[in-house]
């Protein structure tokens, strides 16, 4: 009975998503001009997805064959399911998002409340697809494959690899378009943002969808399933045979799904017209329900509240990291203000101080993660049984991610509101519409900061928990830092996020350059374009972003999969363990640094635009714009990709653990 | 007999330094104007040192008392000696450097060959003081304290803590003055570099001495003694009683000292007027002598050439990292050219691509370090006896640093030539003089890049070797990455370089702001200053840099010492081991990234200044200047400080190892 509950919950979430989709489709998509523009965006987004899927299908087939040969066919089946479900979630979410945007703009002509409802519903579809497909897929495969969670690590691998491609591809897409549109349109030609005369404007709006909706959804899909998988595999090892205990993480996730649905319904139907309060309302209700549910689950299954406290620790750490993020990235605190002040002495001091803020902002989140790790380890009795303690860490990760449905909903709502604003601008709707969408968008930004905190915190905990599963599977009882191979692994692992950051930033730079040249070219060669008489060639720009994103995502994606396997085969399981440890620590740090530096620069610019230090057009503003542009790939491409990188490398190690344990360390055997 | 050889070699190096000093003093210090200006620089530098020493003496007394209470009085004595010797080396080197600069300028009126000779002699004094005082102090204390190397870890701690203060203080000093002088003088007022009308110009020249001469010297002093200490302590443990084997690292260092003296004499007396060839000449001779010497030492003491190969591995890794550095930072390769190209699209793309180059450039050096670690570990038989293998790693570090005398000489020669150029400019000497000093300086830059590679590579190996000594002293046979406390240690350790980078960059920003305001103020309030009729108040600017440097060096310095002890006391020896592992990996990466990004920006600017992409005054040039200014604290303050940070934290752990092993882990005892 128990094992069917998660499947039922997953189906419930999908039904809810379906109802929301129907509801959105029924809304008025506005006038012809709006339909035309949103049509371009929808088309561009779908064209990107379709071409991406072509690449991904090759990848899926190749990796599936490798898994069949190196591991077993059941894991390969799970891998394919994980990949396909992740793709499915992204497809559904983005399909709806590109419908909700124009309807949000139209609704905003009638008032804020309705616009908020549509935008949030659009986000909620993405959220429900993520959790629904995640828990449904996991539970189903678990039962079908004979209640053995070892195969479903493949599901995690599928989800992770798609997430990496989606995040990196989406991130490059959106920033190439954004930087290109801004540098030529805003700076050189002096036309406002989202101006229909700008050839890159559609690509920019498509980018919001493929990067911030589909990319982010895939990211959290894999965190979500990754944390459940690690808890399941550790539980399977710890509670041999006791199904009710083994299934605990899936039960917990089920509670989270129900809580998310209820929270979303509350947020959607709230009569409050303050968008911030509405979103908080839904989030709090979801959170409280999860706390109550996990306490009773903990007592009924384990007979005490220890597991509950581990889960609670995860929730608190996640929320705290989000709140702390605000301190470093909101203009209400001294960090952003200091950057704004430094803009007065020019671009260089703006960059230096923003970079310093990003580095500085790593301290407290790391301490919080450490506290969460130690607490959830020891509360579960890790002092006596190390794997029991590691199980506690994995529960903290599951706890942190239990309300993923709501987190994604709130996260995806932002870009929908943003897109609605763009459509309003391009269709020449009254400025009151843009004001409403801007307000919705800005609320989304604050809430999204908390979401980013969750994403980073959960990535760290999930990776650590998967790391524990890896150790258990390779039967390592120690990964000794004193052994040089481990140290070498740590060094190489710590280096990988740097390499990854370099590759992704370089890609954005290259793609943005293409875009800049194309936009300049169109401004020069299409007569009447600046007077609004001739239409720019939007498609060309969409195409540039699409091709660049797809081409540039391959190398980082392949590296993330090949390097762990290569290190394991050459230097053995201990070196691979060190690699994961090094990659997790340096990856989390770079992720936090880049996300917060980018956020701080962004808000310093906005702070100046609202009138500080000379306001718009001043030298300080120019310097701040440079900071913001540097921050774009930091916070939207390279930074978020780190989360996935560390989880993907960990799960690759986990899937190939046995192969590496049996055959790895070729180079070491030569030495000895 | 054997144990007195290092003492004799140390004294020889000091005698050589004394002879060189006398020779420099005898040279012509030029006309009145030159004497006046060099007098300002000398005064400013000495004033900084004196005030720094006042702070440091308080620090030395306090830490010595703590060591007496927590460890023992012998270690405390060694600590005081290590600190005082490091100070002494810095004082002598800088004293001579501030005399050699003006004499180099004067000699350049007679020709390049003589100028080269004086500048190199000035650098060689610093080099000989570093190795002479280092080996003399170590060997003397080792003998006096009963042939037990455990106490002389205190010597390393003294050297490390002074190095940190000197590097951080010097780095902040020089960059505050540099950024301040450039931003107001060059950019706002439009006067050339090193113009005597600029109030910050003396501070800028003083900064070259305190940062690049004294700071760098202290840095390599501690790497040098640190590597010898780690090899001595491991050898003491491995070869109980066999003095000849225990003394091997000191013998190797003695060979290095002799080789360095001979190499320096060759370079100094070379008839070749090509400065690059002259320097290479000396370096090669030194290197070959060390190779021959270490091979015969290895065979005569150990009976085989295994130790020799470990040493050779260290040398090769050091040189390779230096050469690789060139690829990322010289305009003859595509990386710098790409940054220069990106300058055409503005400041933001310049920063993004430079940052990407910095991150990318970490890959090969890390792989080289890993290869060196594995090779020197296994060649010494680490497969059978782990500590024997770790001893191999420490020998690689000693090998890499054996020619430190020459490395420092070449490194310190650059800023002397640079200073000579400044004095020539300010005294209105003919432009041919400046041309010669510029040529000498540019050669110094290339060679200094190799020196930086050595500094980073040796810091990594030294820290790893000291880490091994730590494990041996705390009787840890494993530092298990699977234990959450170790993981927590790794996370916190990896975070510290980020925190450290943030603090030092923020300090440069703050100090530069003060300087900018002061220079603007003087331009406004001193009548006739721009016409050259009134003298600017140089002293005020020197004072601003001095106060800022001294104030801002305290927090990072104290943190580096307190955090490892606190983590050890709260979370125990394993967590502290993890902390070191994390700090070394992330510290080395950030050091490489910052050094190379800074170097690449610098050379991209110079590349454009030589005519590419529109040349001086073009928009591309403006963007490149921003990159260069951002790179300044990267490559001259935060980056180099990382090397010391990781070594200092490791040696702090080593000195307090026993205390922590016996009393640490308070928090863990509460949990259990």
């Amino acid at each position: 009975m128990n094992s069917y509950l998660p499947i039922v919950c997953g189906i419930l979430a999908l039904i809810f998503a379906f109802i929301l989709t129907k509801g959105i489709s029924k809304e008025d998509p506005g006038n012809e001009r709006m339909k035309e523009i949103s049509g371009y965006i929808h088309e561009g987004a779908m064209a990107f997805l379709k071409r991406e899927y072509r690449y991904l299908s090759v990848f899926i087939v190749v990796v599936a064959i490798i898994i069949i040969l190196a591991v077993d066919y059941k894991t390969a089946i799970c891998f394919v399911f994980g990949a396909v479900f992740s793709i499915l979630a992204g497809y559904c979410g983005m399909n709806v998002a590109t419908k909700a945007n124009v309807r949000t703009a139209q609704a905003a002509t009638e008032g804020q409340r309705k616009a908020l409802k549509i935008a949030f519903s659009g986000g909620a579809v993405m959220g429900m697809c993520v959790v629904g497909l995640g828990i449904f897929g996991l539970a189903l495969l678990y039962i079908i494959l004979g209640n053995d969670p070892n195969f479903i690590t493949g599901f995690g691998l599928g989800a992770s690899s798609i997430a990496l491609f989606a995040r990196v591809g989406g991130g490059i897409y959106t920033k190439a378009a954004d930087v290109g549109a801004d540098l030529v349109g805003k700076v050189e030609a002096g036309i406002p943002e989202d101006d229909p005369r700008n050839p890159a404007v559609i690509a920019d709006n498509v980018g919001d969808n493929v990067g911030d909706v589909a990319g982010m959804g895939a990211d959290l899909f894999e965190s979500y399933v990754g944390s459940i998988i690690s808890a399941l595999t550790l539980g399977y090892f710890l509670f041999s045979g006791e199904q009710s205990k083994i299934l605990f993480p899936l039960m917990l996730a089920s509670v989270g799904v129900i809580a998310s649905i209820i929270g979303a319904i509350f947020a959607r139907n709230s009569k409050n017209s303050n968008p911030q309060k509405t979103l908080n309302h839904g989030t709090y209700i979801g959170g409280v329900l999860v706390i109550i549910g996990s306490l009773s689950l903990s007592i009924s299954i384990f007979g005490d509240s220890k597991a509950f406290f581990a889960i609670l620790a995860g929730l608190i750490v996640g929320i705290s990291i989000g709140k702390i993020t605000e301190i470093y990235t909101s203009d209400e605190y001294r960090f952003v203000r200091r950057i704004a002040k430094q803009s007065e002495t020019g671009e260089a001091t703006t960059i230096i101080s923003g970079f310093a803020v990003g580095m500085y902002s790593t301290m407290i989140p790391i301490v919080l993660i450490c506290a969460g790790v130690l607490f959830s380890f020891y509360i579960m009795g890790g002092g006596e049984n190390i794997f029991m303690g590691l199980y506690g860490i994995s529960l903290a990760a599951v706890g942190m991610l239990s309300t993923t449905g709501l987190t994604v909903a709130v996260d995806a709502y932002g870009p929908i509101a943003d897109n609605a604003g763009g459509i309003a601008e391009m269709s020449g709707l009254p400025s009151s519409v843009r004001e409403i969408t801007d307000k919705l968008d800005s609320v989304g930004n604050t809430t999204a900061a908390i979401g980013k905190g969750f994403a980073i915190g959960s990535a760290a905990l999930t990776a650590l928990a998967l790391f524990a599963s890896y150790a258990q599977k390779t039967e390592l009882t120690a990964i000794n830092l004193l052994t040089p191979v481990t140290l070498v692994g740590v060094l190489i692992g710590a280096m990988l996020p740097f390499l990854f950051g370099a590759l992704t930033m370089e890609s954005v730079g290259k793609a943005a350059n293409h875009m800049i040249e194309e936009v300049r070219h169109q401004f020069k060669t299409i007569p009447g374009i600046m007077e609004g008489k001739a239409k720019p060639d939007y498609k060309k720009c969409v195409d540039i972003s699409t091709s660049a994103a797809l081409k540039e995502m391959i190398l980082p994606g392949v590296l993330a999969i090949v390097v762990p396997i290569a290190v394991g085969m050459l230097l053995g399981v201990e070196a691979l363990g060190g690699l994961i440890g090094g990659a997790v620590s340096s990856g989390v740090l770079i992720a936090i640094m880049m996300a917060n530096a980018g956020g701080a620069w962004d808000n310093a610019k906005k702070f100046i635009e609202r009138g500080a230090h000379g306001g718009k057009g001043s030298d300080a503003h120019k310097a701040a714009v440079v900071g913001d542009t540097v921050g774009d790939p930091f916070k939207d491409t390279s930074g978020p990709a780190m989360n996935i990188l560390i989880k993907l490398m960990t799960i690759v190690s986990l899937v190939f653990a046995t192969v590496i344990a049996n055959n790895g360390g070729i180079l070491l055997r030569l030495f000895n």
Side-chain angles (χ1 to χ4, degrees), chain A:
Chain A
M1 171 58 213
N2 256 351
S3 50
Y4 291 100
L5 181 66
I7 296 182
V8 172
C9 288
I11 294 173
L12 274 181
L14 294 173
I15 292 174
F16 184 49
F18 183 74
I19 294 171
L20 289 173
T21 307
K22 281 285 147 203
I24 292 167
S25 299
K26 263 189 242 149
E27 297 290 338
D28 180 8
N31 62 33
E32 284 312 306
R33 176 84 180 129
M34 288 165 72
K35 278 189 225 164
E36 183 195 343
I37 288 168
S38 72
Y40 288 141
I41 298 175
H42 182 77
E43 241 174 64
M46 289 302 151
F48 172 74
L49 284 193
K50 270 177 208 151
R51 279 178 62 182
E52 189 180 41
Y53 295 160
R54 224 177 298 153
Y55 280 77
L56 293 182
S57 54
V58 176
F59 167 82
I60 293 170
V61 171
V62 171
V63 176
I65 292 173
I66 294 174
I67 296 176
I68 292 176
L69 297 177
V71 190
D72 55 47
Y73 78 94
K74 286 182 180 174
T75 306
I77 291 173
C78 289
F79 166 76
V80 173
F81 267 91
V84 170
F85 274 30
S86 171
I87 287 174
L88 215 58
Y91 182 87
C92 296
M94 215 166 88
N95 193 20
V96 171
T98 53
K99 283 179 182 167
N101 55 9
V102 65
R103 290 166 174 85
T104 301
Q106 174 62 20
T109 59
E110 297 170 36
Q112 181 169 302
R113 178 65 210 118
K114 198 176 170 194
L116 169 62
K117 189 171 174 177
I118 295 177
F120 180 77
S121 300
V125 171
M126 179 86 234
M128 291 304 146
C129 287
V130 164
V131 295
L133 288 168
I135 195 172
F136 174 77
L138 276 178
L140 190 70
L141 288 167
Y142 178 73
I143 294 171
I144 290 177
L145 298 172
N147 292 342
D148 183 345
N150 282 312
F151 304 116
I152 56 172
T153 53
F155 193 84
L157 180 60
S160 288
S161 31
I162 298 306
L164 190 83
F165 288 113
R167 245 312 183 202
V168 172
I172 293 170
Y173 191 113
T174 179
K175 287 305 124 182
D178 192 8
V179 172
D182 280 8
L183 279 187
V184 188
K186 276 207 302 203
V187 180
E188 292 183 13
I191 56 179
E193 207 168 324
D194 288 327
D195 190 296
R197 288 171 292 176
N198 192 330
V201 74
I202 296 292
D204 192 6
N205 277 281
V206 173
D208 290 345
N209 287 295
V210 300
D212 299 347
V213 179
M216 188 270 307
D219 185 350
L220 281 164
F221 182 77
E222 75 128 340
S223 270
Y224 186 69
V225 302
S227 68
I228 299 175
I229 290 169
S230 82
L232 276 176
T233 48
L234 282 171
Y236 183 75
F237 166 74
L238 283 165
F239 316 118
S240 40
E242 292 183 70
Q243 278 299 324
S244 67
K245 286 187 183 174
I246 296 173
L247 283 174
F248 181 75
L250 278 172
M251 293 298 137
L252 176 58
S254 304
V255 167
V257 170
I258 303 299
S260 297
I261 293 176
I262 297 174
I265 292 174
F266 264 90
R268 211 176 147 264
N269 297 324
S270 159
K271 291 280 169 277
N272 200 318
S273 69
N274 178 332
Q276 183 72 68
K277 283 197 181 146
T278 305
L279 294 180
N280 288 349
H281 204 177
T283 310
Y284 291 148
I285 288 175
V288 169
L289 289 176
V290 161
I291 290 174
I292 297 169
S294 57
L295 177 59
S296 44
L297 262 185
S298 172
I299 291 175
S300 73
I301 291 181
F302 289 111
D304 58 37
S305 56
K306 286 178 184 171
F308 163 70
F309 280 110
I311 294 162
L312 190 64
L315 270 171
I316 291 173
V317 169
I319 294 171
S320 311
I321 293 179
K323 286 277 169 200
I324 289 293
T325 305
E326 234 187 293
I327 293 179
Y328 297 108
T329 57
S330 149
D331 63 27
E332 283 172 30
Y333 297 90
R334 67 190 163 96
F335 296 101
V336 169
R337 300 216 167 180
R338 199 192 294 159
I339 297 175
K341 172 107 187 59
Q342 292 277 21
S343 300
E344 287 188 351
T345 38
E347 288 85 2
T349 43
T350 311
I351 300 292
I352 292 175
S353 61
F355 198 72
V357 167
M359 288 186 122
Y360 190 72
S361 74
T362 59
M363 184 175 59
I364 297 177
I366 288 293
V367 172
L368 284 170
I369 291 173
C370 289
V373 163
L374 289 180
F375 181 84
S376 49
F377 180 85
Y378 283 106
I379 191 87
M380 288 299 282
E384 286 99 52
N385 178 349
I386 182 164
F387 284 105
M388 202 63 204
L390 296 169
Y391 185 64
I393 296 175
S394 71
L395 287 186
V398 178
M400 198 187 268
L401 289 159
S402 55
T403 54
T404 292
L406 277 173
T407 312
V408 174
V410 171
D411 253 18
Y413 142 96
I416 293 175
D418 193 8
N419 247 257
I423 293 171
E425 191 88 27
M426 285 185 270
S427 323
L429 292 187
S431 65
S432 63
V433 173
R434 179 77 197 220
E435 267 163 36
I436 288 177
T437 60
D438 273 358
K439 197 166 168 195
L440 296 182
D441 185 21
S442 82
V443 169
N445 282 340
T446 316
T447 347
I450 300 183
K452 263 183 197 158
F454 265 83
I456 293 170
S458 66
L461 289 189
T462 307
L464 294 180
L466 287 169
F467 182 49
S469 310
Y470 166 78
Q472 182 264 311
K473 209 167 171 187
T474 50
E475 290 170 7
L476 278 172
T477 49
I479 296 175
N480 188 359
L481 256 186
L482 286 176
T483 323
V485 283
T486 311
L487 269 176
V488 162
V490 170
L491 278 171
I492 294 176
M495 177 267 288
L496 290 173
F498 284 79
L499 178 61
F500 209 73
L503 290 175
T504 47
M505 288 214 297
E506 202 51 66
S507 298
V508 171
K510 271 194 262 175
N513 260 352
H514 280 190
M515 189 65 83
I516 288 170
E517 277 160 26
E518 174 62 26
V519 174
R520 280 183 187 159
H521 178 77
Q522 289 200 22
F523 276 150
K524 257 188 229 157
T525 53
I526 301 180
I529 187 171
M530 289 310 288
E531 295 75 38
K533 283 178 197 153
K535 259 192 202 164
D537 187 354
Y538 298 132
K539 260 210 154 138
K540 195 77 201 279
C541 291
V542 168
D543 205 55
I544 287 175
S545 258
T546 305
S547 307
L550 295 176
K551 195 182 128 208
E552 301 285 338
M553 76 182 184
I554 295 174
L555 180 61
V558 171
L559 268 184
I561 295 173
V562 170
V563 173
I565 298 177
V567 167
M569 290 311 290
L570 289 175
L571 299 173
V573 274
E574 266 201 277
L576 182 51
L579 181 135
I580 298 172
V584 169
S585 52
S586 107
V588 168
L589 283 159
I590 295 182
I592 299 175
M593 180 196 85
M594 290 190 129
N596 290 347
W601 275 317
D602 188 3
N603 283 325
K605 184 197 70 172
K606 286 181 181 150
F607 182 62
I608 291 176
E609 284 177 351
R610 282 201 301 280
H613 305 292
K616 260 193 178 176
S618 64
D619 280 348
H621 182 237
K622 260 185 222 160
V625 168
V626 170
D628 182 37
T629 314
V630 172
D632 268 343
F634 270 54
K635 72 179 198 301
D636 294 322
T637 311
S638 306
M642 297 293 160
N643 293 337
I644 307 182
L645 174 73
I646 59 179
K647 283 177 289 175
L648 176 55
M649 293 203 303
T650 320
I651 209 152
V652 166
S653 313
L654 180 55
V655 168
F656 292 93
T658 319
V659 189
I660 291 167
N662 294 334
N663 310 299
I666 296 167
L667 211 57
L668 293 188
R669 286 199 290 276
L670 284 182
F671 270 128
N672 285 328

